[in-house]
Amino acid sequence: MRPFEYVRAATVEDAVTGGDRFIAGGTNLVDLMKHGIERPERLVDVTRLELASIEEADGGGLRIGSQVTNSALANDARVRERYPVLSKALLSGATQQLRNKASTGGNFLQRTRCYYFYDTARRCNKREPGSGCDALDGFNRIHAILGASEHCIATHPSDMAVAMVALDAELLTRKSDGSTRRVKAEALHQLPGDTPHHEHVLEPGELITHVDLPPLPDGARHVYRKARDRASYAFALVSVAVVLVTDGDAITEARVALGGVAPKPWRAHRAEAALKGARVDRDVFRRAAEAELEDARGHGDNDFKIPLATRLIASALAEAAGLDAGDDR
């Protein structure tokens, strides 16, 4: 690990003017520093900021401080009651020990777990722009089938962010000039294109301070499904977050987001459009899933993700509609 300066911020104002990188739980950043991938000159510790509470918001929503730990967020009674898809997503990630340290803001900004990104002897455009992408012709079982490019096929690893996208969450930030802005969770991350090292829209020194969850329609049903190689401490091969509202046999609102399939948490707009106003029916769910995966492209080892994602979306929708017993086969 290279030498760096460490400072502890006392206020948000101190934090955004104090250095080039923030550290909270450090569950991803410290590992990357040890590997020599992240090389910050100055780390600003934001764990002492007053951003660790969950508060009621107007209209029945919640405002979540960026320093709320994943464990605290997952186990908050209001989150479990009103936003169970978020609680389920958080509890499916990492381990209890890591969830006790990982922060809400940091979870959004964790970096890919692509093997070639972590191996500094391999070519990786995300780690070293212009060097190439060894994943394209390498072992790419965990890699993207949607939204990738010829420069990068890495996936975003967060479970929490997938649920946040399905919930239409918004991030509140503070910039280094003192100004603030709101960023939709869906709009936070960027697709790789020819600049895969630009992973999100935040500016240098811009700090996530809160996440706002809007109120949901009455009767919304929540499902989070995650297909992975083992039952715990494994990233998603494919994950699905569903928020579904029905009126009798008709679907009045459907929100679907996917994880493990793209360089960002993937909002399934095609599937949602196919579901809007449709009847509650397994064939409808299957066709909606197929529509979403129409442009999916495998790269050899990850071809299996396309049928897996199709089945998982349809199964999660069926469970949310009360047509499925909810097993994860």
Side-chain angles (χ1 to χ4, degrees), residues 38-90:
E38 292 276 10
R39 301 175 180 179
E41 295 182 0
R42 197 166 194 249
L43 281 184
V44 178
D45 185 338
V46 295
T47 57
R48 301 303 194 277
L49 304 183
E50 295 183 3
L51 299 173
S53 63
I54 303 173
E55 302 172 351
E56 294 287 342
D58 293 342
L62 290 177
R63 172 162 289 186
I64 304 159
S66 63
Q67 298 309 303
V68 173
T69 67
N70 287 180
S71 289
L73 184 58
N75 291 297
D76 184 90
R78 295 162 294 181
V79 173
R80 292 170 66 90
E81 179 182 355
R82 301 181 210 170
Y83 307 97
V85 67
L86 176 57
S87 181
K88 292 174 183 177
L90 285 161

Side-chain angles (χ1 to χ4, degrees), residues 107-229:
N107 191 304
F108 274 108
L109 300 178
Q110 62 183 301
R111 306 194 70 186
T112 183
R113 264 54 178 192
C114 171
Y115 322 120
Y116 302 98
F117 174 71
Y118 270 81
D119 186 349
T120 56
R122 302 285 189 165
R123 298 183 305 157
C124 173
N125 287 318
K126 187 180 289 292
R127 187 184 66 247
E128 187 179 347
S131 63
C133 175
D134 277 344
L136 285 167
D137 297 316
F139 182 57
N140 48 45
R141 183 172 181 273
I142 67 170
H143 289 76
I145 56 174
L146 291 168
S149 75
E150 62 183 5
H151 300 281
C152 182
I153 59 171
T155 57
H156 191 270
S158 175
D159 289 287
M160 182 204 75
V162 176
M164 290 287 197
V165 166
L167 292 169
D168 283 337
E170 287 190 337
L171 286 70
L172 283 67
T173 72
R174 179 77 64 90
K175 296 183 181 182
S176 57
D177 63 3
S179 63
T180 62
R181 67 165 167 164
R182 285 180 171 270
V183 180
K184 282 276 193 181
E186 182 183 357
L188 174 65
H189 299 96
Q190 297 178 306
L191 294 179
D194 59 1
T195 56
H197 54 294
H198 294 157
E199 297 178 359
H200 53 73
V201 301
L202 300 186
E203 299 174 3
E206 186 171 5
L207 176 69
I208 299 171
T209 59
H210 298 87
V211 179
D212 279 353
L213 291 177
L216 292 175
D218 292 338
R221 298 179 180 178
H222 300 232
V223 170
Y224 190 76
R225 290 283 193 94
K226 181 177 181 178
R228 48 186 165 175
D229 284 327

